[in-house]
Amino acid sequence: MHPLIDVPTLDRLIRRRAPVVLLDARWRLAGPPGIESYREGHLPGAVFVDLDEDVAGPPGPGGRHPLPAAGDFEAAMRRAGVSPGRLVVVYDDADSTAAARVWWSLRYFGHDQVRVLDGGHRAWTEAGHPVTTDEPEVKPGDFLAAPGGFPVLDAEGAAELARGGVLLDARSAERYRGEQEPVDPVAGHIPGARSAPTSGNVGVDGRFLPPGLLRERFGQLGATDAADVGAYCGSGVTAAHEILALNLAGIPAALYVGSWSNWVADPANPVATGTG
């Protein structure tokens, strides 16, 4: 299934009362929590999912947003109405950073009918479609979480890929170079990783670039369908966005879920700075 859905297609599905599970995944690293935006107005029928509580395990040495336990993720998705064979559409504010982590997580845990609303909540409202403050009554789903739908990396695997394949760093270029680090205790990047900020995957409207442009972008970094490719970020959220963009470009890639927050938790792991 194509990982994206556009506003007109989703609008037609909603008008036809098609069996779609809508997930509102709005989330901010800093600022008001996403649930506040949800309560101010969301797509009709959408259910809020909390990235920190529903899509990640407790923060710790494994990272700030490690993989949740399969049973915990299964329960959260069942509460949201997710069932096998039923299309899930997930959105966030605009650029799909948080929505991509939900998309990746559902795919990883075995749900293959999931798409991201390209352009998110902003694209929906700019097209003149209504939002609501009504929270839907949700019929619990019967989703079964089966890990392994997408490849993952641990710290050792990320280091090996940086040496022998292509490991993309999805954070801002300033964080990659070690010039600033607003969240984690150590600045820099995994030695051998290549800077590929997720901001380069989308246009000013928050929609993903066409596949051809994404293939060109990643190809300039050595990431092609003939290479072993992986991605990481600060805590495994924006790197999922990178995986989605790579998917659009036809390039399979593994996610280092623990990412930089896991890497620097072990002082024995080396750190590089500069353009690398």
Side-chain angles (χ1 to χ4, degrees):
M1 175 172 287
H2 195 282
L4 299 180
I5 187 170
D6 60 22
V7 166
T9 303
L10 178 59
D11 179 55
R12 288 194 295 271
L13 291 175
I14 292 175
R15 289 178 184 274
R16 294 206 311 260
R17 298 178 183 261
V20 178
V21 177
L22 274 175
L23 301 182
D24 185 314
R26 283 179 284 179
W27 170 83
R28 297 176 181 86
L29 183 61
I35 186 64
E36 294 186 13
S37 297
Y38 174 80
R39 289 170 177 159
E40 290 171 359
H42 51 267
L43 273 64
V47 179
F48 180 73
V49 291
D50 189 300
L51 190 143
D52 295 308
E53 300 295 329
D54 299 330
V55 193
R64 283 183 280 109
H65 291 102
L67 272 172
D72 293 341
F73 184 76
E74 178 179 287
M77 293 301 103
R78 287 187 173 197
R79 288 193 299 270
V82 177
S83 293
R86 190 174 184 186
L87 175 65
V88 176
V89 174
V90 57
Y91 69 89
D92 56 26
D93 279 318
D95 66 2
S96 302
T97 296
R101 173 63 187 253
V102 181
W103 166 84
W104 183 92
S105 300
L106 280 163
R107 291 292 309 275
Y108 173 79
F109 282 109
H111 192 79
D112 58 0
Q113 296 192 43
V114 52
R115 304 176 78 176
V116 170
L117 178 60
D118 200 16
H121 187 272
R122 187 171 75 191
W124 179 264
T125 57
E126 287 180 349
H129 297 304
V131 296
T132 182
T133 57
D134 296 336
E135 298 190 21
E137 293 185 13
V138 181
K139 179 182 178 182
D142 56 359
F143 169 67
L144 294 172
F150 271 160
V152 295
L153 298 168
D154 57 12
E156 182 179 356
E160 182 177 345
L161 194 60
R163 291 191 297 267
V166 179
L167 182 65
L168 301 178
D169 187 317
R171 300 172 300 162
S172 70
E174 293 81 10
R175 291 181 73 185
Y176 171 85
R177 294 193 297 263
E179 295 167 2
Q180 59 175 256
E181 181 45 67
V183 186
D184 293 304
V186 179
H189 61 267
I190 297 173
R194 307 174 192 188
S195 180
T198 52
S199 58
N201 296 332
V202 297
V204 294
D205 58 359
R207 292 178 173 88
F208 281 91
L209 299 179
L213 291 180
L214 290 171
R215 279 194 295 273
E216 181 180 350
R217 179 191 188 219
F218 292 125
Q220 291 173 350
L221 295 166
T224 69
D225 59 1
D228 291 328
V229 180
Y232 76 98
C233 59
S235 66
V237 176
T238 54
H241 187 282
E242 197 97 299
I243 300 295
L244 197 160
L246 286 158
N247 185 289
L248 289 170
I251 303 169
L255 175 64
Y256 178 15
V257 183
S259 284
W260 188 246
S261 57
N262 168 248
W263 182 266
V264 298
D266 184 350
N269 285 331
V271 171
T273 57
T275 54

